């Protein structure tokens, strides 16, 4: 068209006019192509609160960014006749804004309205992870999860990459070669403790974490920041929620029941708020223990009550209180047992007839109170007090008469009697005062804390085991009567600890344009602050710069018992490259310590005249772990479904280790720093919508861990070389009211050896742990949005469930009972875990 126009102008003053027109057209075209404008603003919800990590995108130009922690955003776009900008966030109705011939700087404040009620949906698993603390998806924790122990949070942790368990009756877990005692647990910034005398999964009751009261679950399998305590393997960070209105639920099954009620007033939009929640849980695994091969009368009962109250009189002050009372009774009167083991060609039969009983009591009290002062918009100071008290009694006298036969030849391989006796009593009292301060700047999040602890532990224990084979006491010396095992301990320990940390989370990007300045107003006072991995404080544009998050800090501790002072530097870096914002690279390193508590102090290596006298080693030192980790997160879509793939490699150089043996879940330490070692491995995890509208994941782990003892390399008791876990959720065809959950676990067996011998005798390896659990849930009343069909009783939703535990009836080995004949030959008789069981459950939400 331009050419035709120029030809028509040739009858006029030709060259000059054509030149002017060409120049004007070129200038107009070039200016149109290069002109851009800046779009910035704020995204809020109905209550005026900022919506963090909302997506702001212009699909026509391929640009996207995310709101920061204050709901702010900025985006550079090309000018056009009309520019459409989309605003979206899970749980909110999306909005589209059209700008006509925008130029310069455009400022828009966008209101996103809630998309109905989304129930318990929490999408934190899909948030970008910029440190080593991963926020887990807990939306099906109460209604759709298959649970054996009743401890839903711990069972969720056990399915994560790098985590292992070989006992479905226990809520304890190992992380990357660490022991059960190397995992720290925090509830609302306070470290919690476990009972100390637990020796078997059958004894375990309910954990302190009440799944009905949980709002967020953060878990780190290594490389965690300085705010988390002196444990080497993992950190579990639990946040209890503050209800904003009335809510309640009740659940029951063949394994126990629970009731929860919550109430809140005010909400975030008002200056004065009050909330409280109460949870009552009851557990009895008598039905489950009935599938064990040792028959008898099992009478386990566990009762747990918790309350969490929060009062905010104004925007500057917040007062919180958390209390817990737990009582666990385990009564057991065994009757008989018959176990067949060996190979198809060589089958052995082990029969036992029992006398006696066991009576255990574990009583625990826990409480914490905190006072928070909000100074301005970005500074807060918190004072916390906590107390933990446990009184434990373990008493048993059990005698068994056994026969060990070869079923093929009918040969009697061994016959004898054994007797086990224990009178173990322990009380522990731990109190602490903690001062925390948090300061948020434009690109920094600075946090510091100082803790002072008092510890008082009293123990009086007496254990012995007698074995008689063919009329001879084992060990047989010929001139005296000795028991195979005798232990005596009487201790009264008092100590003090001082712990502290300082850390900073520094976020920046390489875009030329500076991020928006902090908005005025009190946007965060009185609300739980968000972790660095929950939002991106800054922007990640498709063609912008890279985004960086540097978390660095220093932790220190001093213990009066051994007069040891520790310094623990830790640092991690997350990089979101400019070329692909769907990828996040993470690096972490640090020096971690396992500060001894009480069990590690007990020196059980000194035996005189057949009696092991326990002493407390005042020269013991903290175990050390220098960790190096490299990880990558990749987010992608397949068939319009969202997925996240994570790969993490790690190496841990271990020194000053305290060797230990494991029998069932009882960890017995040597009480001395005797070994050094290493752990290296690779964890892989794929998380996403395997089925539309559901969340599933599969994880695979490879690991090798060894320790050097007396010049010889031996595997650690937790040397699990491989593990595969699958958590799969699906809906029945044609309906979303029927939901199916499948859990599969396949893990390498652990090293083991004869009891009361050293770690150098751990020359055997148990069979692989294989288990499948499946559960079906039916939404009988109400919908996923919480709107019930009938509200005459105030019922919101009713779930009915049916679970098949150990679907294939696999006999997994938990531990071994060792039979010794008169020739001192030992036979390892496997102790199998639970068989196939059916469990029914019902959950009612109000």
């Amino acid at each position: 068209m331009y050419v035709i126009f120029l030809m028509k102008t040739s009858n006029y003053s030709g060259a000059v006019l054509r030149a002017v027109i060409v120049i004007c057209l070129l200038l107009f075209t070039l200016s149109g192509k290069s002109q851009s404008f800046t779009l910035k603003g704020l995204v809020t919800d109905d209550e005026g609160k900022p919506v963090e990590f909302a997506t702001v995108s212009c699909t026509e130009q391929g640009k996207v960014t995310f709101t920061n922690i204050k709901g702010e955003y900025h985006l550079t776009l090309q000018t056009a006749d009309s520019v459409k900008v989309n605003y979206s966030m899970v749980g909110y109705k999306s909005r589209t804004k059209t700008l006509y011939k925008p130029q310069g700087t455009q400022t828009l404040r966008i209101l996103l309205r809630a998309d109905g009620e989304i129930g318990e949906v929490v999408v934190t698993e899909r948030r970008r992870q910029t440190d080593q603390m991963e926020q887990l998806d807990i939306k099906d924790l109460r209604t759709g999860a298959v649970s054996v122990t009743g401890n839903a949070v711990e069972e969720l942790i056990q399915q994560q990459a790098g985590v292992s368990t070989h006992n479905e009756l226990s809520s304890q877990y190992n992380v990357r070669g660490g022991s059960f005692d190397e995992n720290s647990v925090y509830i609302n910034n306070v470290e919690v403790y476990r009972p100390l005398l637990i020796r078997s999964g059958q004894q375990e009751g309910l954990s302190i974490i009440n799944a009905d009261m949980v709002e967020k679950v953060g878990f780190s399998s290594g490389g965690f920041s300085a705010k988390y305590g002196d444990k080497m393997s993992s950190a579990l960070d639990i946040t209890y929620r503050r209800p904003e209105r009335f809510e309640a639920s009740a659940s029951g099954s063949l394994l126990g029941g629970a009731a929860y009620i919550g109430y809140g007033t005010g909400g975030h939009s008002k200056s004065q708020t009050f909330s409280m929640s109460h949870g009552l849980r009851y557990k009895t695994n008598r039905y489950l223990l009935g599938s064990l091969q040792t028959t008898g009368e099992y009478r386990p009962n566990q009762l747990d009550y918790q309350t969490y109250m929060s009062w905010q009189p104004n925007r500057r002050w917040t007062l919180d209180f958390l209390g817990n009372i737990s009582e666990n009774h385990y009564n057991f009167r065994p009757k008989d047992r018959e176990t067949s083991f060996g190979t198809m060609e060589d089958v052995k039969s082990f029969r036992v007839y029992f006398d006696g009983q066991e009576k255990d009591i574990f009583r625990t009290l826990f409480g914490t109170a905190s006072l928070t002062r909000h100074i301005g918009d970005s500074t807060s100071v918190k004072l916390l007090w906590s107390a933990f008290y446990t009184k434990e009694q373990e008493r048993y006298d059990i005698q068994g008469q056994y026969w060990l036969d070869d079923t093929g030849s009918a040969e009697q391989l061994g016959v004898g009697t054994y007797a086990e006796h224990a009178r173990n009593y322990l009380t522990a009292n731990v109190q602490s005062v903690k001062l925390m301060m948090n300061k948020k700047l434009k690109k920094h999040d600075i946090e510091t804390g100082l803790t002072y602890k008092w510890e008082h532990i009293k123990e009086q224990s007496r254990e012995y085991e007698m074995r008689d084979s063919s009329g001879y006491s084992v060990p047989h010396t010929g001139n005296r009567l000795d028991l195979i095992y005798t232990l005596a301990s009487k201790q009264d320990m008092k100590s003090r600890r001082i712990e502290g940390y300082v850390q900073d989370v520094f976020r920046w990007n390489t875009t030329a344009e500076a991020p928006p300045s902090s908005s005025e107003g009190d946007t965060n006072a009185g609300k739980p602050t968000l972790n660095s991995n929950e939002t991106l404080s800054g922007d990640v544009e498709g063609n912008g710069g890279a985004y960086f998050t540097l978390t660095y800090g220093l932790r220190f501790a001093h213990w009066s018992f051994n007069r040891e002072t520790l310094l623990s530097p830790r640092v991690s870096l997350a990089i979101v490259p400019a070329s692909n914002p769907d990828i996040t690279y993470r690096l972490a390193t640090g020096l971690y310590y396992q500060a001894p508590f009480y069990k590690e102090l007990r020196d059980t290596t000194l035996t005189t005249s057949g009696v092991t006298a326990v002493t407390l080693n005042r020269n013991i030192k903290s175990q050390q772990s220098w960790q190096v980790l490299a990880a990558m997160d990749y987010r992608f879509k397949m068939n319009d479904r969202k997925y996240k793939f994570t790969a993490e490699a790690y190496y841990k150089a271990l020194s000053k280790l305290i060797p230990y043996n494991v029998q069932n879940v009882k960890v017995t330490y040597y009480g001395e720093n005797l070994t050094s070692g290493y752990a290296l491995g690779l964890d892989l995890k794929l998380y996403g919508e395997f089925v539309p509208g559901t969340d599933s994941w599969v994880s695979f782990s490879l690991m090798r861990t060894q320790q050097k003892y007396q010049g010889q390399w031996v595997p650690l008791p937790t040397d699990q070389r491989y593990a595969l876990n699958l958590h799969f959720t699906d809906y029945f065809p044609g309906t979303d009211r029927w939901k199916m959950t499948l859990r599969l676990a396949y893990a390498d067996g652990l090293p083991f050896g004869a009891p009361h011998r050293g770690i150098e005798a751990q020359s055997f390896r148990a069979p692989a742990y294989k288990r499948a659990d499946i559960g079906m849930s039916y939404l009988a009343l109400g919908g996923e949005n919480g709107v019930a069909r009938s509200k005459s009783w105030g019922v919101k939703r009713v779930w009915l469930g049916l679970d098949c535990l150990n679907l294939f009836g696999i006999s997994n080995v938990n531990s071994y009972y060792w039979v010794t004949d008169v020739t001192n030959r030992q036979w390892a008789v496997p102790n199998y875990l639970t068989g196939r069981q059916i469990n029914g459950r019902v959950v009612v939400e109000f």
Side-chain angles (χ1 to χ4, degrees), residues 19 40 232 273 317 421 464 475 478 533 575 616 717 785 820:
K40 67 178 184 178
M232 293 197 303
T273 64
W317 294 95
H421 165 92
Y464 68 76
N533 61 311
I575 304 173
L616 300 184
N785 60 356
T820 307

Side-chain angles (χ1 to χ4, degrees), residues 595-615:
F597 192 51
Y598 181 71
K599 292 162 64 175
E600 295 95 324
L601 303 178
R602 301 172 78 248
D603 190 342
T604 58
T605 59
L606 180 61
T607 301
T608 305
S609 301
V611 178
T612 300
V614 177
T615 59

Side-chain angles (χ1 to χ4, degrees), residues 191-304:
E191 187 174 8
V192 298
Y193 299 87
R194 303 178 61 92
L196 300 176
L197 291 183
I198 293 289
R199 76 177 196 281
S200 69
Q202 292 92 314
Q203 293 175 300
E204 284 195 31
L206 293 161
S207 78
I208 192 174
I209 305 173
N210 189 330
D212 292 334
M213 303 171 68
V214 170
E215 180 182 45
K216 291 191 300 182
V217 176
F219 179 70
S220 174
S221 55
F224 39 89
S225 62
K227 67 179 292 184
Y228 300 106
D230 299 311
K231 298 293 178 71
M232 293 197 303
S233 291
S234 74
L236 176 60
D237 192 354
I238 303 295
T239 302
Y240 278 4
R241 70 175 180 271
R242 299 183 175 102
E244 297 183 7
R245 60 184 65 86
F246 175 80
E247 56 187 33
S249 66
S251 62
S253 73
L254 298 177
L255 303 178
Y260 163 78
I261 184 170
Y263 177 74
T265 62
H268 293 296
S269 61
K270 297 184 179 181
S271 60
Q272 181 173 334
T273 64
F274 174 77
S275 67
M276 64 177 180
S277 56
H278 306 272
L280 182 67
R281 296 179 294 167
Y282 172 74
K283 174 186 174 182
T284 174
N285 53 2
R286 180 187 310 180
Y287 170 68
L288 194 63
L289 297 179
S291 65
L292 297 175
Q293 292 190 335
T294 299
T295 63
E297 184 180 358
Y298 292 91
R299 290 184 299 162
N301 296 282
Q302 301 92 34
L303 188 64
D304 175 275

Side-chain angles (χ1 to χ4, degrees), residues 68 72-74 442-443 509 511-518 537-539:
N68 62 16
E72 300 167 332
Y73 68 93
H74 77 106
K442 187 174 183 180
K443 293 185 178 181
N509 56 29
T511 53
E513 186 174 359
S517 59
S518 300
S537 182
D539 303 291

Side-chain angles (χ1 to χ4, degrees), residues 28 69 103 112 130 136 228 261 286 323 330 457 482 619 626 743-744 757 775 780-781 796 799 803:
F28 178 80
I69 197 170
Q103 295 181 1
L112 293 183
T130 56
L136 302 181
Y228 300 106
I261 184 170
R286 180 187 310 180
Y330 177 72
I457 301 175
D482 286 333
N619 296 319
W626 186 271
R743 298 192 320 190
L744 299 176
R757 296 194 177 185
L781 182 65
K796 183 178 179 181
W799 287 90
D803 303 334

Side-chain angles (χ1 to χ4, degrees), residues 787-806:
V787 180
R789 296 175 180 173
S790 174
K791 293 189 176 181
S792 58
W793 296 93
V795 176
K796 183 178 179 181
R797 280 188 291 256
V798 177
W799 287 90
L800 303 178
L802 186 67
D803 303 334
C804 183
L805 309 176
N806 196 358

Side-chain angles (χ1 to χ4, degrees), residues 140 228 245 322 372 376 593 794:
D140 294 326
Y228 300 106
R245 60 184 65 86
L322 173 65
T372 304
Y593 291 92

Side-chain angles (χ1 to χ4, degrees), residues 672-692:
E672 296 182 72
N673 304 94
L674 299 176
T675 67
S676 61
Y678 69 91
L680 62 89
L682 175 66
D683 294 332
L684 306 174
K685 180 180 178 181
L686 178 63
Y687 174 94
E689 297 182 41
F690 293 13
V691 174

